[in-house]
Amino acid sequence: MSPTLAGILFIASLLLALALCHKPLGDYMYRVYTGTRHNAVERVIYRLLGVQPDSEQRWGVYARSVLAFSIVSILFLYALQRLQSHLFLALGMEPVEPALAWNIAVSFATNTNWQAYSGESTMGHLVQTAGLAVQNFVSAAVGMAVAIALVRGFSRKKTHTLGNFWVDLVRGTIRILLPIAFVAALVLVAGGVIQTFADHSTWTTLTGGRQTFTPGAVASQEAIKDLGTNGGGFFNVNSAHPFENPTSWTNWFEIFLLLVIAFCLPRTFGRMVGDNRQGYAIVAVMGVIAMISVGLTNWAELSAGGTVPQAIGAALEGREARFGTSNSAMFASATTLTSTGAVDSFHDSYTALGGGMLIFNMLLGEVAPGGVGSGLYGMLILAVITVFVAGLMVGRTPEYLGKKIGAREIKLASLYFLVTPVLVLVGTAVAMGTEVGRSAMLNSGPHGLSEILYAYTSASNNNGSAFAGVSANTVFHNTTLGLCMAFGRFVPIVLALALAGSLAQQAPVPASVGTLPTHRPQFVGLVVGVTIILVALTFLPALALGPLAEGIR
Amino acid sequence: MSTHVLESSSQAPTPKKNGRVGGGLLDPKQMIRSLPDALKKLNPATMWRNPVMFIVEIGAVFTTVLAIIDPSWFAWAIVVWLWMTVVFANLAEAVAEGRGKAQAATLRAAKRDSTARRLKSRDDHAQWDVIGAAELQQGDYVIVEAGEIIPGDGDVIDGIASVDESAITGESAPVIRESGGDRSAVTGGTKVLSDRIIVQITQKPGESFVDRMIALVEGANRQKTPNEIALNILLAALTIIFLVATATMQPLAIYSKEINPGVPDSLALTGDGVTGIVLVSLIVCLIPTTIGALLSAIGIAGMDRLVQRNVLAMSGRAVEAAGDVSTLLLDKTGTITLGNRQASEFVPVPGVSEHELAQAAQLSSLADETPEGRSIVVYAKQAYGLRERQPGELSHAEWVPFTAQTRMSGVNIAPDSGASGGDGREVRKGAATAVMKWVRDAGGHPTDEVGHLVDGISASGGTPLVVAEKGRVLGVIHLKDVVKDGMRERFDEMRRMGIRTVMITGDNPLTAKAIADEAGVDDFLAEATPEDKLALIRKEQEGGRLVAMTGDGTNDAPALAQSDVGVAMSTGTSAAKEAGNMVDLDSNPTKLIEIVEIGKQLLITRGALTTFSIANDIAKYFAIIPAMFAAVYPGLDALNIMRLASPQSATLSAVIFNALIIIALIPLALRGVMYRPSSASKLLSRNLYVYGLGGIVVPFLGIKLIDLLIQFLPGMS
């Protein structure tokens, strides 16, 4: 079987699996978020938290709840890391440095999982499990809650309330993420991923040498790492590690896990707004962008630019031989198209244009399909902006799903759209403009610039993957990247919730033939076009001096 | 006095042709006339209101300073074109305003030096004093005679006159204004051509219709409409993004230059990064200057297009709302039908010939001056060749007028009269029950057949008039509401635009349904009272629909005020005019449809030019990025797909294109993009094709063409 055919089969089987899950999982999530009953475990949690599960929140209260929860999470994670040597299960690890601890705390609470450290040599079981693994669940559930709140903005009418954040958070964690992650962990264990609380172990490597390392509850963390589009691996080399991702088959399964919720949420959206076609349109936009990206990345990698790749037929440096070029490219695309940031190959080793595509995937705002929840709300914002321009062109005040996009709505959507580009560009410019920022680059020339651009793109978009060419564990980068992660996560969330609040108050305008239809291929094409063109226009200067300068010869 | 208005209205082609909204053409002379105004607008105090163009102006000032410090042909060429960009943008606005100013000038002429003859008392038409028109108070009575200008807005309370309203409507044919009824309102500044009328002034001083019109056409208190505000926000966001994108490029550029020490400094890139001149050029090319320059002109021109159609919108908001309307309420009479029922058929009972019935019908209607009566005479002549006789021709004829009690009219002809062959005749026509009773009273026995005929006509939406002779029913006249030509097509268009039309009528449901079916409206409201109308509007609005309606009577005022777009007829009462947010000077209710189209066209023009503006950026990047960086990274020359001659010519070409496209699009902004009523889907496809795809392709061609021309200029290599 040729590598191309194998790659196509790999992608096609993924698509098929995702398509099969789309309806059942989407419908299940619809029932989770619209149901009125609370199960016993949930009632206990609500009582412990002191939450009235049936009280509804206005957008401001909802947003404050998100922020309060996230700030407490960050403080808790920070404290846990700083105090780990005084607590149990530390495996003798020292307290984490303040700047790094801040970076890690923000990173995990924002669903970024940027890792400027090696997990196995920095923290013990307690931090990994009670701190990071818990955040892997709840930070993902926060993203889903915000997405659902925005969808409620579209589906509700003449109300000020968007649901209850605590209920959405708890249900997302307990009814969606936990059960799927549990099954997924079992599947991964079956596939060869380790799951143990043993101390240091020593293994014989392929070359016959002996190696000592810290094993752990890898499979369970791996499952939620992918399912919750977190990306923070147990081991530093993440999914390239043979105990995290042993075979081509587990590689397929991990890609599936990191795409599955984000690709099914549009169905939930369609159900909630009472028109499944709207959900199909959104998932089609995600799918089209993803396919274009995967196609181009594969082309860049397989067409083998450069001397060495030409000699051996493909760009193989930095890839695990058990995955190969195409499957690695698929993983890399999936991890950057979502906000995962897990890696099974060394992105710094990608061809200039292939690596450029990975940066571009994140620059899109991670909307195809994006992180769990964040992908959907990001995509809906883009749809709102598209509707605004296109809606004017049909001669009506633009409306999406019956809600008018007026001055307030477009202000919030525009601000949302502004946040990450400003963070990425200003962050990159500051890093490139300062000696301390530049000193982290391992490569010179345009590739070094790409490394810095990648780092700030990844942090601001809450991806968390690294080009890995940067020595990111410096006070400067830990601090600035931490700020990018925090602003890149919470400012858009507040804006999305404000938009939801504004939309929920409106009475819907009934659709007529004079209304712009938002379920047809025409609209799908339009959103794809607007997204790609706006992002390309915003970042072309930076991309030109990085990946394009390196890649076009 | 009215020549100017007529000129400008003849510039504007007749509003409706092939279902398209037309608009004024652009006169190059107008551009030159507006140039001083455009230059005045360079004042930063006014410029900052347009943030996009204000940034261009700042850039122009900045590059001017740079060019003075370090002069070169290239720098000065950029400086000149950046200033031109700002001036062109101001010109667009000035031209749009200029058209309004010309109209305002003629309107002012009508206001100037008019005096009023104020009556000392309402009933004494012989005593008056002469005062200035501006001194008139609400409630004053003035007398106006042939040749005089009506001094203020008011209602005719006595007399009838023909009035030349061309100063306001541009229509030269005089109109009749008379006391009582719905044609009693007169407008200040119009001229009485014949007879004498007494007018009660209804305006407050300084708030006349003409005053308001002057303010409107001048755009004096023009406020940004909701949609314009929203679009401005989006444009501001795009501007910020491109500012950030270009500003943050600088450290990256410095780094790139630094790691390629062998590359010499150029006019575009030095060790300090991209030069100020090129950086400003890039910013100006990327920020949405095209739409930013034309946005206010589009708004002003939209109002102007309404004025040219003799509609005064009291706010831009109303014009925009017109584009969003999803329900149109149309009065049956005068809007959908010609206004009066007309005879369309004579149906005789068995044993009577059609000709005989026609003759009797005609005879009974000769003295009947109601429109229905006239139409019977006309129909009898057209269909049966019966000569129209004057009532005076028949001696000994005694005309029986219609009264509410008898509910019939007719004629009694004395037996010895020659006209009817010696026999005396009594002929009546009228409501079925009344005429039948008259026949029975005279000893006749009408058959059931008459009842069937009457019911049949009623069921078809017509009005039956029974014609009878003493003791004998002759037949039935079928009076029909005549639907105006082309209404069905208009309503079909509306449906394609997603607008529901509802006919409002006082008729019974049966009649209403028949006419609704014939006219092709979507729905009807029969036996409608003003309260029903208001309730219907509220119901539609609760469902999230915007409602438009026309009205002229005082009892329409609540509904006009409630509707989102309320168009009052100029002939209507002051109350109606106050309640509505538009006034139609032609008092043509059908114009509502055009107003909707103009509202839509306004929004489409904005959307289309925004799309065009953003799409343009692609080509500009392809021109300027290689110009800046191909020296350090030769590979990037591959992006120079237009093969522009040099970095300087590429940058200058992009800037020139950016400026010229504004001028090129002024006519489009003023006229509005072509609009044909069709579904949203089709409209979008078409506009995307023209302005999206066109917006991508046109600048590639334009920049290449400009580059071919300017590459030989000094400083371009």
Side-chain angles (χ1 to χ4, degrees):
Chain A
M1 196 159 50
S2 76
T4 313
L5 182 61
I8 289 172
L9 276 179
F10 191 87
I11 295 167
S13 56
L14 260 173
L15 273 181
L16 183 68
L18 290 169
L20 288 176
C21 291
H22 184 73
K23 257 190 181 182
L25 182 57
D27 288 346
Y28 173 71
M29 291 192 286
Y30 164 75
R31 287 195 297 275
V32 167
Y33 287 111
T34 55
T36 50
R37 298 181 55 190
H38 313 287
N39 65 33
V41 183
E42 289 165 2
R43 277 199 296 271
V44 171
I45 296 175
Y46 297 143
R47 207 165 305 144
L48 286 176
L49 287 172
V51 169
Q52 297 284 331
D54 294 316
S55 71
E56 290 267 321
Q57 293 175 322
R58 290 170 170 242
W59 83 261
V61 182
Y62 202 104
R64 281 200 292 279
S65 306
V66 173
L67 293 181
F69 178 75
S70 301
I71 289 169
V72 168
S73 298
I74 290 172
L75 292 176
F76 176 73
L77 276 184
Y78 183 81
L80 207 59
Q81 293 175 74
R82 299 285 293 137
L83 300 173
Q84 74 165 341
S85 56
H86 305 289
L87 303 169
F88 45 93
L89 281 176
L91 307 180
M93 304 280 185
E94 291 295 305
V96 184
E97 291 300 313
L100 180 60
W102 141 260
N103 185 284
I104 295 172
V106 172
S107 168
F108 276 76
T110 56
N111 195 254
T112 309
N113 299 28
W114 170 265
Q115 292 171 293
Y117 63 96
S118 299
E120 61 269 46
S121 61
T122 312
M123 47 195 63
H125 287 318
L126 185 73
V127 177
Q128 288 267 24
T129 321
L132 305 187
V134 168
Q135 279 306 320
N136 278 351
F137 281 96
V138 292
S139 70
V142 167
M144 289 159 75
V146 172
I148 294 297
L150 178 57
V151 175
R152 287 192 188 118
F154 284 108
S155 67
R156 292 187 172 183
K157 48 189 159 189
K158 290 185 173 173
T159 174
H160 291 280
T161 60
L162 297 174
N164 185 314
F165 168 70
W166 306 105
V167 172
D168 293 337
L169 176 73
V170 169
R171 285 189 186 175
T173 309
I174 291 185
R175 297 198 203 173
I176 298 171
L177 295 171
L178 268 175
I180 303 179
F182 181 77
V183 175
L186 293 183
V187 172
L188 286 171
V189 169
V193 180
I194 60 168
Q195 177 84 0
T196 167
F197 272 112
D199 267 3
H200 306 282
S201 353
T202 308
W203 294 72
T204 309
T205 64
L206 281 176
T207 49
R210 295 179 72 74
Q211 194 176 332
T212 304
F213 71 99
T214 319
V218 177
S220 56
Q221 188 160 337
E222 188 66 21
I224 188 61
K225 174 191 100 179
D226 296 321
L227 183 68
T229 60
N230 293 288
F234 191 91
F235 299 109
N236 185 34
V237 294
N238 211 296
S239 287
H241 198 289
F243 290 147
E244 268 199 45
N245 190 5
T247 63
S248 193
W249 193 87
T250 53
N251 194 44
W252 183 97
F253 186 65
E254 288 183 11
I255 297 174
F256 168 79
L257 278 182
L258 57 88
L259 293 172
V260 68
I261 289 185
F263 263 126
C264 293
L265 271 174
R267 168 78 185 181
T268 314
F269 158 73
R271 286 292 303 272
M272 286 180 73
V273 298
D275 183 358
N276 285 334
R277 298 172 310 174
Q278 303 291 346
Y280 293 141
I282 291 295
V283 82
V285 175
M286 293 173 167
V288 169
I289 296 178
M291 287 313 291
I292 294 172
S293 168
V294 168
L296 287 176
T297 311
N298 266 294
W299 166 79
E301 295 309 295
L302 292 171
S303 67
T307 325
V308 178
Q310 257 164 17
I312 55 176
L316 272 171
E317 191 215 38
R319 275 72 158 181
E320 291 295 303
R322 63 184 185 280
F323 304 140
T325 306
S326 176
N327 291 4
S328 298
M330 181 62 213
F331 195 107
S333 296
T335 198
T336 47
L337 282 166
T338 62
S339 78
T340 312
V343 288
D344 76 347
S345 53
F346 198 48
H347 291 184
D348 207 10
S349 300
Y350 276 56
T351 57
L353 295 179
M357 271 315 297
L358 301 183
I359 298 179
F360 194 76
N361 286 343
M362 293 186 281
L363 291 177
L364 287 170
E366 289 167 359
V367 289
V372 287
S374 61
L376 180 61
Y377 62 72
M379 179 54 80
L380 290 178
I381 299 277
L382 286 168
V384 164
I385 292 178
T386 306
V387 157
F388 183 76
V389 178
L392 285 178
M393 276 196 288
V394 304
R396 281 173 73 94
T397 298
E399 52 207 55
Y400 186 43
L401 303 169
K403 299 298 178 82
K404 288 200 169 165
I405 309 302
R408 182 173 161 76
E409 288 76 20
I410 202 68
K411 182 169 73 192
L412 294 167
S414 300
L415 280 175
Y416 181 106
F417 185 77
L418 271 178
V419 175
T420 27
V422 169
L423 289 174
V424 171
L425 291 170
V426 172
T428 306
V430 168
M432 291 304 296
T434 53
E435 202 46 50
V436 55
R438 258 197 255 178
S439 61
M441 282 190 290
L442 295 186
N443 292 67
S444 63
H447 196 77
L449 196 151
S450 299
E451 289 169 350
I452 296 284
L453 177 64
Y454 193 106
Y456 283 90
T457 303
S458 175
S460 304
N461 286 289
N462 298 141
N463 184 279
S465 66
F467 228 23
V470 181
S471 330
N473 190 6
T474 64
V475 173
F476 175 84
H477 285 290
N478 278 334
T479 312
T480 52
L481 290 170
L483 287 172
C484 283
M485 287 187 274
F487 287 125
R489 172 76 164 179
F490 298 114
V491 178
I493 280 183
V494 171
L495 292 169
L497 289 174
L499 178 64
S502 171
L503 293 170
Q505 285 174 35
Q506 291 186 26
V509 182
S512 71
V513 284
T515 318
L516 172 75
T518 52
H519 60 270
R520 302 237 182 103
Q522 180 192 47
F523 184 72
V524 172
L526 201 56
V527 181
V528 170
V530 166
T531 306
I532 292 178
I533 287 178
L534 276 186
V535 170
L537 290 178
T538 308
F539 293 105
L540 205 56
L543 290 172
L545 293 175
L548 292 182
E550 188 189 356
I552 305 179
R553 295 197 182 276
Chain B
M1 176 197 77
S2 63
T3 47
H4 212 110
V5 170
L6 286 174
E7 241 172 51
S8 71
S9 66
S10 61
Q11 262 179 21
T14 25
K16 284 294 290 186
K17 262 175 196 161
N18 319 324
R20 235 187 280 171
V21 178
L25 298 171
L26 187 71
D27 181 0
K29 276 186 220 143
Q30 222 171 5
M31 290 248 203
I32 295 164
R33 266 205 307 277
S34 305
L35 199 57
D37 283 331
L39 293 174
K40 261 182 238 158
K41 284 171 188 283
L42 286 175
N43 182 353
T46 47
M47 210 58 212
W48 71 269
R49 260 174 270 189
N50 184 343
V52 177
M53 295 318 295
F54 186 51
I55 285 176
V56 181
E57 189 176 35
I58 293 172
V61 172
F62 179 63
T63 47
T64 308
V65 174
L66 290 181
I68 290 169
I69 294 169
D70 185 13
S72 69
W73 280 104
F74 170 66
W76 279 108
I78 295 280
V79 167
V80 168
W81 280 98
L82 289 182
W83 280 112
M84 301 261 264
T85 310
V86 190
V87 172
F88 289 167
N90 291 346
L91 198 58
E93 198 179 85
V95 168
E97 286 172 352
R99 302 165 132 211
K101 281 197 181 124
Q103 270 162 334
T106 29
L107 287 169
R108 282 221 174 79
K111 259 186 61 139
R112 217 177 22 224
D113 62 32
S114 73
T115 54
R117 286 193 280 162
R118 184 173 61 185
L119 293 180
K120 298 223 159 131
S121 82
R122 176 183 172 142
D123 303 315
D124 182 0
H125 298 175
Q127 302 255 346
W128 64 72
D129 41 310
V130 176
I131 60 168
E135 295 162 48
L136 281 174
Q137 296 296 321
Q138 237 173 334
D140 284 349
Y141 299 98
V142 294
I143 181 163
V144 194
E145 276 181 313
E148 289 179 339
I149 303 282
I150 299 174
D153 302 353
D155 292 323
V156 180
I157 54 162
D158 191 61
I160 177 168
S162 64
V163 179
D164 172 10
E165 295 196 335
S166 61
I168 291 169
T169 62
E171 176 61 57
S172 51
V175 293
I176 301 296
R177 294 286 177 253
E178 58 186 320
S179 61
D182 61 356
R183 299 189 73 78
S184 66
V186 288
T187 312
T190 55
K191 189 176 183 181
V192 173
L193 293 180
S194 70
D195 304 290
R196 187 187 76 160
I197 47 175
I198 309 295
V199 175
Q200 181 178 19
I201 299 297
T202 52
Q203 63 158 99
K204 288 183 188 144
E207 288 179 25
S208 73
F209 200 65
V210 174
D211 289 325
R212 277 192 285 170
M213 207 166 150
I214 289 171
L216 277 168
V217 294
E218 276 193 326
N221 45 5
R222 201 181 89 84
Q223 286 174 331
K224 284 192 174 128
T225 58
N227 234 293
E228 211 176 338
I229 293 169
L231 185 53
N232 262 316
I233 291 171
L234 183 73
L235 296 183
L238 286 172
T239 306
I240 293 170
I241 286 210
F242 289 127
L243 276 179
V244 171
T246 36
T248 55
M249 184 181 71
Q250 200 64 300
L252 279 56
I254 293 169
Y255 167 79
S256 305
K257 181 76 173 44
E258 202 175 292
I259 56 172
N260 293 288
V263 178
D265 286 358
S266 70
L267 276 171
L269 187 64
T270 68
D272 296 329
V274 178
T275 57
I277 300 268
V278 173
L279 202 63
V280 170
S281 304
L282 180 62
I283 291 174
V284 169
C285 284
L286 291 180
I287 63 176
T289 48
T290 314
I291 179 69
L294 298 172
L295 191 55
S296 66
I298 294 171
I300 298 169
M303 295 285 269
D304 191 48
R305 274 201 296 283
L306 275 179
V307 172
Q308 283 173 15
R309 277 162 191 71
N310 280 338
V311 176
L312 282 192
M314 297 307 160
S315 71
R317 188 183 281 261
V319 185
E320 245 177 42
D324 285 348
V325 159
S326 39
T327 309
L328 274 189
L329 303 190
L330 298 166
D331 277 328
K332 184 201 77 177
T333 309
T335 309
I336 295 172
T337 62
L338 284 174
N340 301 306
R341 289 147 199 265
Q342 297 189 352
S344 67
E345 199 183 0
F346 294 136
V347 192
V349 295
V352 177
S353 75
E354 279 186 42
H355 202 266
E356 191 182 354
L357 172 63
Q359 218 154 18
Q362 186 220 32
L363 202 56
S364 68
S365 306
L366 285 176
D368 184 350
E369 285 299 326
T370 64
E372 288 83 0
R374 302 293 315 153
S375 81
I376 292 170
V377 176
V378 168
Y379 184 70
K381 185 179 176 189
Q382 280 172 354
Y384 298 94
L386 295 178
R387 188 171 61 86
E388 191 175 342
R389 290 175 284 191
Q390 294 305 313
E393 278 180 43
L394 297 167
S395 53
H396 312 292
E398 180 200 342
W399 306 103
V400 181
F402 177 89
T403 68
Q405 282 75 40
T406 60
R407 290 163 63 213
M408 54 187 183
S409 62
V411 60
N412 296 334
I413 300 171
D416 56 346
S417 146
S420 50
D423 296 349
R425 281 187 86 178
E426 285 184 32
V427 186
R428 293 286 184 279
K429 71 162 197 302
T433 49
V435 176
M436 306 272 260
K437 181 168 179 297
W438 178 74
V439 169
R440 284 199 200 90
D441 288 350
H445 299 283
T447 55
D448 289 347
E449 186 65 24
V450 180
H452 292 314
L453 287 178
V454 167
D455 290 348
I457 289 170
S458 291
S460 72
T463 308
L465 285 184
V466 176
V467 182
E469 266 186 337
K470 194 85 185 163
R472 182 170 78 115
V473 172
L474 297 172
V476 187
I477 304 169
H478 186 166
L479 286 182
K480 208 174 152 187
D481 255 329
V482 181
V483 173
K484 283 183 181 171
D485 272 350
M487 289 317 281
R488 180 171 276 279
E489 288 72 30
R490 297 303 284 277
F491 295 139
D492 287 345
E493 273 179 14
M494 292 286 115
R495 207 166 296 117
R496 279 201 296 279
M497 289 155 67
I499 295 173
R500 213 165 67 92
T501 44
V502 181
M503 183 182 86
I504 310 284
T505 170
D507 292 342
N508 65 57
L510 211 59
T511 312
K513 181 167 185 341
I515 296 165
D517 287 346
E518 192 187 340
V521 293
D522 296 308
D523 204 350
F524 63 89
L525 182 67
E527 290 171 351
T529 62
E531 292 76 34
D532 292 342
K533 230 177 182 178
L534 194 58
L536 178 68
I537 294 174
R538 290 225 170 98
K539 199 185 95 202
E540 292 286 322
Q541 287 173 336
E542 264 161 39
R545 296 182 188 86
L546 264 58
V547 183
M549 66 168 287
T550 59
D552 52 8
T554 301
N555 58 11
D556 285 330
L560 277 173
Q562 178 73 31
S563 61
D564 301 281
V565 178
V567 184
M569 301 293 104
S570 163
T571 51
T573 60
S574 315
K577 282 200 242 179
E578 280 300 315
N581 47 18
M582 291 191 197
V583 175
D584 179 17
L585 300 170
D586 294 344
S587 304
N588 169 13
T590 320
K591 214 180 267 172
L592 198 47
I593 297 170
E594 280 168 41
I595 294 172
V596 168
E597 291 182 355
I598 289 174
K600 284 195 179 292
Q601 198 191 25
L602 182 67
L603 293 182
I604 295 175
T605 308
R606 283 192 198 135
L609 291 184
T610 305
T611 309
F612 187 82
S613 196
I614 298 171
N616 273 203
D617 282 1
I618 297 172
K620 292 170 191 167
Y621 262 135
F622 275 94
I624 297 182
I625 287 203
M628 290 187 297
F629 301 127
V632 271
Y633 296 123
L636 289 181
D637 197 47
L639 294 182
N640 182 9
I641 54 173
M642 287 174 272
R643 307 317 308 161
L644 304 178
S646 69
Q648 292 90 319
S649 74
T651 312
L652 185 59
S653 302
V655 171
I656 293 178
F657 176 83
N658 195 51
L660 289 182
I661 198 73
I662 295 174
I663 284 286
L665 290 175
I666 289 178
L668 185 72
L670 297 185
R671 196 178 59 230
V673 302
M674 197 184 86
Y675 173 68
R676 277 175 207 281
S678 56
S679 74
S681 224
K682 278 193 198 136
L683 265 178
L684 181 61
S685 293
R686 184 189 166 275
N687 289 328
L688 271 181
Y689 198 68
V690 177
Y691 298 98
L693 199 62
I696 293 174
V697 174
V698 167
F700 277 104
L701 303 176
I703 291 173
K704 177 68 188 171
L705 196 66
I706 295 169
D707 182 75
L708 285 175
L709 295 174
I710 65 161
Q711 57 180 314
F712 305 110
L713 291 181
M716 286 302 120
S717 53

